[in-house]
Amino acid sequence: MRKVYLSLSTVAEAQKKIVSFPSPLTAEKVPLAQSLGRTLAAAAVAKVSSPAFNGAAMDGVAVKAEITYGARASKPLTLEIGREAFWVNTGAPLPPETNAVIMVENLVINQDIDPPTGAPNVTIEEAVFPWRNVRKIGEDLVETEIVLPQGTAIGAYEIGALAAAGILEPMVFRKPQVVFIPTGSEMASLDSLTPEDLKAGHKLPEFNSLIVQALVEEVGGRLTVWPIVPDDPGKLKETLLKAVDGPFDLIVFNAGSSAGSKDYTAGLLQENGELLVHGIKAMPGKPVAIGKVNQKPVLGLPGYPVSAVIAFELLGLPLLKNWQSAVPLERPNAQVRLFQDLPSKPGLSEFIRVKLGRVNGELVAAPLPRGAGTVASLAKADGIIEIPAISEGLSASQPATVSLLRPLKTINGAILAIGSHDNALALIDGLLRRRDPKLSLTSAHVGSLGGLLALGKGLTHIAGCHLLGEDGTYNQEAIRRFLPGRGVTLIRLVERSQGLMVLRGNPLKIVSLADLTRPEVTMVNRQKGSGTRALLDYELRKSGLDPQSVRGYEDEEFTHLNVAAAVAGGRAQVGLGVLAAAMALGLEFIPLGWEEYDLAILKRDLNDPKIQVLLEIIRGPEFQKEAGALGGYGFKRTGAEVFSLD
Amino acid sequence: MRKVYLSLSTVAEAQKKIVSFPSPLTAEKVPLAQSLGRTLAAAAVAKVSSPAFNGAAMDGVAVKAEITYGARASKPLTLEIGREAFWVNTGAPLPPETNAVIMVENLVINQDIDPPTGAPNVTIEEAVFPWRNVRKIGEDLVETEIVLPQGTAIGAYEIGALAAAGILEPMVFRKPQVVFIPTGSEMASLDSLTPEDLKAGHKLPEFNSLIVQALVEEVGGRLTVWPIVPDDPGKLKETLLKAVDGPFDLIVFNAGSSAGSKDYTAGLLQENGELLVHGIKAMPGKPVAIGKVNQKPVLGLPGYPVSAVIAFELLGLPLLKNWQSAVPLERPNAQVRLFQDLPSKPGLSEFIRVKLGRVNGELVAAPLPRGAGTVASLAKADGIIEIPAISEGLSASQPATVSLLRPLKTINGAILAIGSHDNALALIDGLLRRRDPKLSLTSAHVGSLGGLLALGKGLTHIAGCHLLGEDGTYNQEAIRRFLPGRGVTLIRLVERSQGLMVLRGNPLKIVSLADLTRPEVTMVNRQKGSGTRALLDYELRKSGLDPQSVRGYEDEEFTHLNVAAAVAGGRAQVGLGVLAAAMALGLEFIPLGWEEYDLAILKRDLNDPKIQVLLEIIRGPEFQKEAGALGGYGFKRTGAEVFSLD
């Protein structure tokens, strides 16, 4: 029943095996207007020169240069239009026997005649050399010249070059045909499931096909998605044989290649063909299988979306590109400073999604959650850091290399916010983008204290924080203690209503912190260093309650929304958080009081134009309107500088 | 009749004016599977959490963690399947009342039972903490969280994030609708013209619509192309009014915006609406017009393809992107060393297309022809260098900034060949790419001597050369003279048959160099420093002929093919060049003798893996076969090291 990975392949070994499948792609002609995104199957050879004739490069009159020799201001020369000189517009072919163009600006024309082209003659005061102001035949392209090599991906410029070369139907590779076969009795197509189905989890939504479809289309292929095949060995075999017999160049089986109890793909490949690779040294992406059945490549992808995407990018895309003689997609790299150490298991290449921001000239990378199921982290990520298989991880003291998912110029326009999470940050992101699409706010959630420490190290533009001090003030104590001499200003973002979140109807009748010590009550906590945790500890101390007596006190989450989700999902009965999070998840909220949520900013950055726009937005009416709609916010001192320390 | 640019706008001024047109784009819902390439019209808010339930992160048994406390190797605990422990696969929801998963690897199972899931109980030797091996609800996304901001371009990862968030029909902007109106009585649609029509030049091919269509599609828009409108003011006005009345968001008029005698667009805009911009300080791209008619933006593009492309990229694309709240496309930059000074006219931003190669770690840029009509140069270019309007040009002694058209990794795989042109270089490019899509050969044609000087400065990987010395040897004298101490090796590429190229039938009965001095014969020459020029001068000297007596001796071209094209096009009656070029253009060839065409390579680069592959290819059978088919080549010493100097 259980598959054991006999020996994992390195990524390079697996790539070598899959790209060794010979290309099945024949060539076909397509009209130029439909060739965008296709790939040249043969070198494009110019059918005509461009220009195909000697033409005027300027507006003026075409002449035989030799007749103008000797003309000068003191000895002007008059030329008869239609015999010695011929009006030409830019681009027009030169009349026979002419070999130069005199610009209209250099002609003396009788001003009484309108239009001047009606004049019987023109006068020149300067000679012209042969081929002056003439676009010579073949200047751009010469007939029979190789315009574009085989394997060229056709974009707008290539269409121009092909058109200029008279190639109206370029020879391109036919599109690679890929079939995607989702498997697993527990899977259901995404659009067949209601939100309630998704929450119940009896059926899991199949959407890897949509992601892989986009990846295949991006490299010029076409994906056919077959219905989900349940975990029935007979049905799977039947489907495999039908697929390899069909008009497909690559067969992709999804799920079933994990080492789970329903892993059939590897066995299926072994029984019906040849199993070439079973597992690669990559995380996410490890549980992959490559086989050859009926001479065709079959790729078994892991079920988790991030694993499936990374495995398909590592193995499927290079194959499709190679078949089209094209360079595999390689993302540009950049050097980054790591926000924190990134430990990793040796023996596997690990791919870490990161957020990026340029802080004081330096690119900073803050890691996103690593889980193979966190598909949204791929879309949120600005880059991917690969930790090599031989490494035990990367140290924050060393620069690291990131492979960029977005242009550096976009990343350079992002304000990096590391610190405590607040939904208002997403609103500010939206308002920044609406103001100027080049601006954005990108946030990583490490809690208030983590954010302030990052600010102190120059690793973030702003740090959202709400740390209640012993003296009852917010954030000031922490800044005095951890950031003396760094020059920090605190800008109030909002006041927030903090309280206990419980299920609607408050089934356990929780009314105050004292209820947390009841044996039937389990809470979900926030991580140490977060403002909410500090508030809880402050209030527990004030009420003389022992954290040891609170069940779930050790169970930590990193954001308000995740705490709310834990309560909504039944993992805990109560959590401490902001009203906005409770409202978002439909929970009941028992307010404990108002807290102050500030943005800490280094003084040196206050004049940064990005930060200036940020402050304008915070102080503007739109922000208050949109944040007000979320609920639980106060704006008494929003935008005010509430504290400053040199 | 003649339009005078009243005052040119800077590029930034023109951009500001055009992007101030408010967005006409409404939003629409599209199925996720069809959303690739579209842009989010509103922030995407998660409809469900992901995961939407607490699920197993490993295969094993789900338990209530608390019942396992105390279990250890010396005190194993047996759990009853179906009551205390429940088999779960990765991804499955946890059964009610359970809160942890024990990995199958950590279970003691009765080995006699197969499958093990049939066992009535399992034994554990270790306790498990709550939430161990559990994917918690909301780990990836929490319901109501903003998953992706407005203006996000939907790619594969975004489809994954939207799917995970339960957003099956994202709200996207409707596609911007652009109409393209080619104008000009001299224009005809590309597919209506035969190669003979193109050569005659009575009608010019209209293909800017194809390029602009691709540019519009690349940013998610749709282009409608209208039939060509002749230069008739009434017809043009009628067309403009029909277009602004139609379902289009942007109207593009092409041609007619140059200062040529048929420039109607600016006047048309002035008469029927408002002319906002007439001419921009950019070259190519200057003759542009922007107007507002019926509240809609009308963009008048220049006729020359490179001007049209650059003007549309500078003005049309930012507008379409801005309407979709998206960041304008900005290409990544890199620092380069210029192969030569780039003089430029102050007052205009000039955009120079360049070839790039990484030579000894440094990125080198060699300029391509600057003409606004050289559309193929856009496709050949690896990057574009912008010379600012305030500058008189760029000096080769200063690093310059290039905007990259290809990924740096692709450029890093290119062998740069600066020197004499030979068609065999294009064959080698093709063979390199077929060997490994990451490799290529990119060439800039500056003649033999220019190539050797570039090699001496470390500006090229290889220099193709065929310089006949006083001593009758090829290339050796030049290397001794110009590159002593640089460590150069000469690898023979081919022997080439050089001769006189004349029209088929040899109408002027040219048989030897002496015929070049006949008064009715005009030649086209190659540039100084080229091997062919050196050969001509050597042979003229040998025959006692005076270059002064040769008509056209001063008329220079830069490649064999361009010389052949000049003869084929009638600009000259004879030119000196290689057989391959004569055959390519259907010319007659009067052989003068064999010359030696070598590749000069620095010794330090001989072990570069790229150069190793190059040498393998030159020495392989495919190269000789393909080059042999071009004609005029000998391969006696092909691939041999014919000379070396430390």
Side-chain angles (χ1 to χ4, degrees), chain B residues 546-592:
Chain B
D546 179 8
Q548 295 286 54
S549 63
V550 178
R551 277 164 58 101
Y553 181 85
E554 306 295 339
D555 183 16
E556 298 179 350
E557 276 296 348
F558 275 78
T559 72
H560 293 282
L561 279 170
N562 284 101
V563 167
V567 174
R571 189 173 116 212
Q573 285 86 44
V574 61
L576 186 59
V578 296
L579 176 62
M583 285 175 70
L585 275 283
L587 298 175
E588 223 166 282
F589 184 79
I590 301 130
L592 291 184

Coordinates of all heavy atoms in Angstrom, one line a residue, chain B residues 546-592:
Chain B
D546 N 44.2 53.5 -60.0 CA 44.1 54.6 -59.0 C 42.6 54.6 -58.5 O 41.7 54.7 -59.2 CB 44.3 55.9 -59.7 CG 44.1 57.1 -58.8 OD1 43.9 56.9 -57.6 OD2 44.2 58.2 -59.3
P547 N 42.5 54.4 -57.2 CA 41.1 54.5 -56.6 C 40.4 55.7 -57.0 O 39.1 55.7 -57.1 CB 41.4 54.5 -55.1 CG 42.7 53.9 -54.9 CD 43.5 54.2 -56.1
Q548 N 41.0 56.8 -57.2 CA 40.4 58.1 -57.6 C 39.6 57.9 -58.9 O 38.7 58.7 -59.2 CB 41.5 59.2 -57.8 CG 42.2 59.6 -56.5 CD 41.3 60.4 -55.6 OE1 40.2 60.0 -55.2 NE2 41.8 61.5 -55.2
S549 N 40.1 57.0 -59.7 CA 39.4 56.8 -61.0 C 38.2 55.9 -61.0 O 37.6 55.6 -62.0 CB 40.5 56.3 -62.0 OG 40.9 55.0 -61.6
V550 N 37.9 55.4 -59.7 CA 36.8 54.4 -59.6 C 35.6 55.2 -59.1 O 35.6 55.7 -58.0 CB 37.2 53.3 -58.7 CG1 36.0 52.3 -58.5 CG2 38.4 52.5 -59.2
R551 N 34.5 55.3 -59.9 CA 33.3 55.9 -59.4 C 32.6 55.1 -58.4 O 32.5 53.9 -58.5 CB 32.3 56.1 -60.6 CG 32.6 57.3 -61.5 CD 31.9 57.2 -62.8 NE 30.5 57.1 -62.6 CZ 29.6 58.1 -62.7 NH1 30.0 59.3 -63.1 NH2 28.3 57.9 -62.5
G552 N 32.2 55.7 -57.3 CA 31.5 55.0 -56.2 C 32.5 54.5 -55.2 O 32.0 53.8 -54.2
Y553 N 33.8 54.7 -55.4 CA 34.7 54.2 -54.4 C 34.5 54.7 -53.0 O 34.7 54.0 -52.0 CB 36.2 54.6 -54.9 CG 37.3 54.1 -54.0 CD1 37.8 52.8 -54.1 CD2 37.8 54.9 -53.0 CE1 38.8 52.4 -53.3 CE2 38.8 54.5 -52.1 CZ 39.3 53.2 -52.3 OH 40.3 52.8 -51.4
E554 N 33.9 55.9 -52.9 CA 33.6 56.5 -51.6 C 32.3 56.1 -51.0 O 31.9 56.4 -49.9 CB 33.6 58.1 -51.7 CG 34.8 58.7 -52.3 CD 36.1 58.5 -51.4 OE1 35.9 58.2 -50.2 OE2 37.2 58.5 -52.0
D555 N 31.5 55.4 -51.8 CA 30.1 54.9 -51.4 C 30.3 53.6 -50.6 O 30.5 52.6 -51.2 CB 29.2 54.8 -52.6 CG 27.8 54.4 -52.3 OD1 27.4 54.6 -51.1 OD2 27.1 54.0 -53.2
E556 N 30.1 53.7 -49.3 CA 30.5 52.5 -48.5 C 29.2 51.8 -47.9 O 28.3 52.4 -47.5 CB 31.3 53.0 -47.3 CG 32.7 53.6 -47.8 CD 33.5 54.1 -46.6 OE1 33.0 54.1 -45.5 OE2 34.7 54.4 -46.9
E557 N 29.4 50.5 -47.8 CA 28.4 49.7 -47.1 C 29.1 48.9 -46.1 O 30.3 48.7 -46.1 CB 27.6 48.8 -48.1 CG 26.4 49.5 -48.8 CD 25.3 49.9 -47.8 OE1 25.4 49.4 -46.7 OE2 24.5 50.6 -48.2
F558 N 28.3 48.3 -45.1 CA 29.0 47.6 -44.0 C 28.9 46.1 -44.1 O 29.5 45.5 -43.2 CB 28.3 48.1 -42.7 CG 29.0 49.4 -42.2 CD1 28.7 50.6 -42.8 CD2 30.0 49.4 -41.2 CE1 29.3 51.8 -42.3 CE2 30.6 50.5 -40.8 CZ 30.3 51.7 -41.3
T559 N 28.2 45.5 -45.0 CA 28.1 44.1 -45.1 C 28.1 43.7 -46.5 O 27.7 44.4 -47.4 CB 26.9 43.5 -44.4 OG1 25.8 43.7 -45.2 CG2 26.7 44.0 -43.0
H560 N 28.5 42.4 -46.7 CA 28.5 41.8 -48.1 C 27.1 41.8 -48.6 O 26.8 42.2 -49.8 CB 28.9 40.3 -48.0 CG 30.3 40.2 -47.6 ND1 31.3 40.3 -48.5 CD2 30.9 39.9 -46.5 CE1 32.5 40.2 -48.0 NE2 32.3 39.9 -46.7
L561 N 26.1 41.5 -47.7 CA 24.7 41.4 -48.2 C 24.2 42.8 -48.6 O 23.5 43.0 -49.6 CB 23.8 40.8 -47.2 CG 23.8 39.3 -47.1 CD1 23.1 38.8 -45.8 CD2 23.2 38.7 -48.3
N562 N 24.7 43.9 -47.9 CA 24.2 45.2 -48.3 C 24.9 45.6 -49.6 O 24.2 46.3 -50.4 CB 24.5 46.2 -47.1 CG 23.6 46.1 -46.0 OD1 23.9 45.5 -45.0 ND2 22.4 46.6 -46.2
V563 N 26.1 45.2 -49.8 CA 26.7 45.5 -51.1 C 25.9 44.8 -52.2 O 25.6 45.4 -53.2 CB 28.2 45.1 -51.1 CG1 28.8 45.1 -52.5 CG2 29.0 46.0 -50.2
A564 N 25.6 43.5 -52.0 CA 24.9 42.8 -53.0 C 23.5 43.5 -53.2 O 23.1 43.6 -54.4 CB 24.7 41.4 -52.5
A565 N 22.9 43.9 -52.1 CA 21.6 44.5 -52.3 C 21.7 45.8 -53.1 O 20.8 46.2 -53.9 CB 21.0 44.8 -50.9
A566 N 22.8 46.6 -52.9 CA 23.0 47.8 -53.6 C 23.1 47.6 -55.1 O 22.6 48.3 -56.0 CB 24.2 48.6 -53.1
V567 N 23.8 46.5 -55.5 CA 23.9 46.1 -56.9 C 22.6 45.6 -57.4 O 22.1 46.0 -58.5 CB 25.0 45.0 -57.1 CG1 25.1 44.5 -58.5 CG2 26.4 45.6 -56.6
A568 N 21.9 44.7 -56.6 CA 20.6 44.2 -57.1 C 19.6 45.3 -57.3 O 18.8 45.3 -58.2 CB 20.1 43.2 -56.1
G569 N 19.7 46.3 -56.4 CA 18.8 47.4 -56.5 C 19.1 48.5 -57.5 O 18.4 49.5 -57.7
G570 N 20.3 48.4 -58.1 CA 20.6 49.3 -59.2 C 21.4 50.5 -58.8 O 21.6 51.5 -59.5
R571 N 21.7 50.6 -57.4 CA 22.4 51.8 -57.0 C 23.8 51.8 -57.5 O 24.4 52.8 -57.7 CB 22.4 51.8 -55.4 CG 22.9 53.0 -54.8 CD 22.7 52.9 -53.3 NE 24.0 52.8 -52.6 CZ 24.2 52.2 -51.5 NH1 23.3 51.4 -50.9 NH2 25.4 52.3 -50.9
A572 N 24.3 50.6 -57.7 CA 25.7 50.5 -58.3 C 25.6 49.3 -59.3 O 24.7 48.5 -59.3 CB 26.7 50.2 -57.2
Q573 N 26.7 49.3 -60.2 CA 26.7 48.2 -61.1 C 27.6 47.0 -60.7 O 27.5 45.9 -61.2 CB 27.1 48.7 -62.5 CG 26.1 49.5 -63.2 CD 26.1 50.9 -62.8 OE1 27.2 51.5 -62.7 NE2 25.0 51.5 -62.6
V574 N 28.4 47.3 -59.7 CA 29.4 46.3 -59.3 C 29.8 46.5 -57.9 O 29.8 47.6 -57.4 CB 30.6 46.2 -60.2 CG1 31.4 47.5 -60.2 CG2 31.5 45.1 -59.9
G575 N 30.1 45.4 -57.2 CA 30.6 45.5 -55.8 C 31.5 44.3 -55.6 O 31.3 43.3 -56.3
L576 N 32.4 44.4 -54.6 CA 33.2 43.3 -54.3 C 32.7 42.6 -53.1 O 32.3 43.2 -52.1 CB 34.7 43.8 -54.0 CG 35.8 42.8 -53.7 CD1 35.9 41.8 -54.9 CD2 37.1 43.5 -53.4
G577 N 32.6 41.2 -53.1 CA 32.1 40.5 -52.0 C 32.2 39.0 -52.1 O 32.9 38.6 -53.1
V578 N 31.5 38.3 -51.2 CA 31.7 36.8 -51.2 C 30.6 36.2 -52.1 O 29.5 36.8 -52.3 CB 31.6 36.3 -49.8 CG1 32.8 36.7 -49.0 CG2 30.3 36.6 -49.1
L579 N 30.9 35.0 -52.6 CA 29.9 34.3 -53.4 C 28.6 34.1 -52.8 O 27.5 34.3 -53.4 CB 30.5 32.9 -53.8 CG 29.6 32.0 -54.7 CD1 29.2 32.6 -56.0 CD2 30.2 30.6 -54.9
A580 N 28.6 33.8 -51.5 CA 27.4 33.5 -50.8 C 26.4 34.7 -50.9 O 25.2 34.5 -51.1 CB 27.7 33.2 -49.3
A581 N 26.9 35.9 -50.7 CA 26.1 37.1 -50.8 C 25.5 37.3 -52.2 O 24.4 37.6 -52.4 CB 26.9 38.3 -50.4
A582 N 26.4 37.0 -53.2 CA 25.9 37.1 -54.6 C 24.8 36.1 -54.9 O 23.8 36.5 -55.5 CB 27.1 36.9 -55.6
M583 N 25.0 34.9 -54.5 CA 24.0 33.9 -54.7 C 22.7 34.2 -54.0 O 21.6 34.0 -54.5 CB 24.5 32.5 -54.2 CG 25.6 31.9 -55.1 SD 26.2 30.3 -54.4 CE 24.8 29.3 -54.5
A584 N 22.9 34.7 -52.8 CA 21.7 35.1 -52.0 C 20.8 36.1 -52.7 O 19.6 36.0 -52.7 CB 22.1 35.6 -50.6
L585 N 21.4 37.0 -53.4 CA 20.6 38.1 -54.0 C 20.5 37.8 -55.5 O 20.0 38.7 -56.3 CB 21.3 39.4 -53.8 CG 20.9 40.2 -52.5 CD1 19.5 40.8 -52.6 CD2 21.0 39.3 -51.3
G586 N 20.9 36.6 -56.0 CA 20.7 36.3 -57.4 C 21.6 37.1 -58.4 O 21.2 37.4 -59.5
L587 N 22.8 37.4 -57.9 CA 23.7 38.2 -58.7 C 24.7 37.2 -59.4 O 24.9 36.1 -59.0 CB 24.5 39.2 -57.9 CG 23.6 40.3 -57.2 CD1 24.5 41.1 -56.3 CD2 22.9 41.1 -58.2
E588 N 25.3 37.7 -60.4 CA 26.4 37.0 -61.1 C 27.7 37.3 -60.3 O 27.8 38.4 -59.8 CB 26.5 37.4 -62.6 CG 26.7 36.1 -63.4 CD 26.5 36.5 -64.9 OE1 25.3 36.6 -65.3 OE2 27.5 36.7 -65.6
F589 N 28.6 36.4 -60.4 CA 29.8 36.5 -59.5 C 31.1 36.2 -60.4 O 31.1 35.2 -61.1 CB 29.7 35.4 -58.4 CG 30.8 35.5 -57.4 CD1 30.8 36.5 -56.4 CD2 31.8 34.6 -57.4 CE1 31.8 36.5 -55.4 CE2 32.9 34.6 -56.5 CZ 32.8 35.6 -55.5
I590 N 32.0 37.1 -60.4 CA 33.2 36.9 -61.1 C 34.4 36.8 -60.1 O 34.8 37.7 -59.4 CB 33.5 38.2 -62.0 CG1 32.4 38.4 -63.0 CG2 34.8 38.0 -62.7 CD1 31.9 39.8 -63.0
P591 N 34.8 35.5 -59.8 CA 35.7 35.2 -58.7 C 37.1 35.9 -58.9 O 37.6 35.9 -60.1 CB 35.9 33.7 -58.7 CG 35.2 33.2 -59.9 CD 34.4 34.3 -60.5
L592 N 37.6 36.5 -57.9 CA 38.9 37.1 -57.9 C 39.9 36.2 -57.2 O 41.1 36.3 -57.4 CB 39.0 38.5 -57.3 CG 38.2 39.6 -58.0 CD1 38.4 40.9 -57.3 CD2 38.7 39.7 -59.5

